[in-house]
Protein backbone atom coordinates (compact mmCIF):
# COMPACT_ATOMS: atom_id res chain seq x y z
CA UNK A 1 0.00 0.00 0.00
CA UNK A 2 2.80 2.42 0.88
CA UNK A 3 4.59 1.60 -2.36
CA UNK A 4 1.46 2.39 -4.43
CA UNK A 5 0.98 5.68 -2.58
CA UNK A 6 4.64 6.66 -2.94
CA UNK A 7 4.57 5.89 -6.67
CA UNK A 8 1.37 7.89 -7.19
CA UNK A 9 2.90 10.89 -5.40
CA UNK A 10 6.21 10.57 -7.24
CA UNK A 11 8.13 9.73 -4.08
CA UNK A 12 10.89 7.16 -3.53
CA UNK A 13 10.55 4.31 -1.10
CA UNK A 14 13.44 3.02 0.99
CA UNK A 15 14.39 -0.65 1.34
CA UNK A 16 11.41 -2.77 2.41
CA UNK A 17 11.47 -3.72 6.09
CA UNK A 18 11.60 -7.45 5.30
CA UNK A 19 14.85 -7.06 3.36
CA UNK A 20 16.38 -4.87 6.09
CA UNK A 21 15.43 -7.38 8.87
CA UNK A 22 16.96 -10.26 6.87
CA UNK A 23 20.20 -8.33 6.26
CA UNK A 24 20.48 -7.44 9.95
CA UNK A 25 19.91 -11.03 11.04
CA UNK A 26 22.52 -12.31 8.59
CA UNK A 27 25.06 -9.74 9.85
CA UNK A 28 24.36 -10.77 13.46
CA UNK A 29 24.72 -14.45 12.53
CA UNK A 30 28.08 -13.81 10.89
CA UNK A 31 29.37 -11.86 13.93
CA UNK A 32 28.28 -14.60 16.33
CA UNK A 33 29.88 -17.27 14.14
CA UNK A 34 33.17 -15.33 14.14
CA UNK A 35 33.05 -15.07 17.94
CA UNK A 36 32.37 -18.80 18.28
CA UNK A 37 35.19 -19.65 15.87
CA UNK A 38 37.62 -17.47 17.83
CA UNK A 39 36.53 -19.02 21.13
CA UNK A 40 36.87 -22.55 19.75
CA UNK A 41 40.31 -21.75 18.38
CA UNK A 42 41.45 -20.39 21.75
CA UNK A 43 40.18 -23.49 23.56
CA UNK A 44 41.92 -25.75 21.06
CA UNK A 45 45.22 -23.88 21.43
CA UNK A 46 44.95 -24.03 25.22
CA UNK A 47 44.31 -27.77 25.10
CA UNK A 48 47.27 -28.41 22.79
CA UNK A 49 49.58 -26.33 24.94
CA UNK A 50 48.43 -28.27 28.02
CA UNK A 51 49.07 -31.62 26.28
CA UNK A 52 52.64 -30.61 25.54
CA UNK A 53 53.30 -29.65 29.17
CA UNK A 54 53.16 -25.89 28.80
CA UNK A 55 50.62 -23.28 29.89
CA UNK A 56 48.86 -22.52 33.13
CA UNK A 57 46.89 -25.78 33.39
CA UNK A 58 49.93 -27.96 32.86
CA UNK A 59 51.70 -26.11 35.66
CA UNK A 60 48.76 -26.72 37.99
CA UNK A 61 48.74 -30.42 37.06
CA UNK A 62 52.46 -30.74 37.85
CA UNK A 63 51.91 -29.11 41.24
CA UNK A 64 48.97 -31.43 41.96
CA UNK A 65 51.08 -34.47 41.08
CA UNK A 66 53.88 -33.26 43.29
CA UNK A 67 51.52 -32.90 46.26
Amino acid sequence: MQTVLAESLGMERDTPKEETEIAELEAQRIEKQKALDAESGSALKSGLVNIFGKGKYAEIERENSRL
Side-chain angles (χ1 to χ4, degrees):
M1 191 69 173
Q2 291 176 346
T3 303
V4 173
L5 181 61
E7 287 175 357
S8 68
L9 295 175
M11 300 171 69
E12 285 187 27
R13 290 259 303 153
D14 201 9
T15 307
K17 187 175 183 178
E18 294 82 23
E19 291 178 20
T20 304
E21 285 176 339
I22 291 170
E24 286 178 21
L25 290 174
E26 183 62 18
Q28 289 175 358
R29 186 195 68 77
I30 290 170
E31 287 301 313
K32 288 181 180 181
Q33 186 64 49
K34 285 180 185 177
L36 285 173
D37 290 346
E39 188 175 317
S40 295
S42 294
L44 182 61
K45 287 178 193 174
S46 177
L48 287 173
V49 166
N50 189 33
I51 288 172
F52 291 108
K54 308 255 187 231
K56 62 183 177 183
Y57 296 114
E59 194 172 310
I60 292 170
E61 287 295 322
R62 282 193 295 271
E63 183 64 20
N64 285 341
S65 296
R66 188 184 66 76
L67 294 174

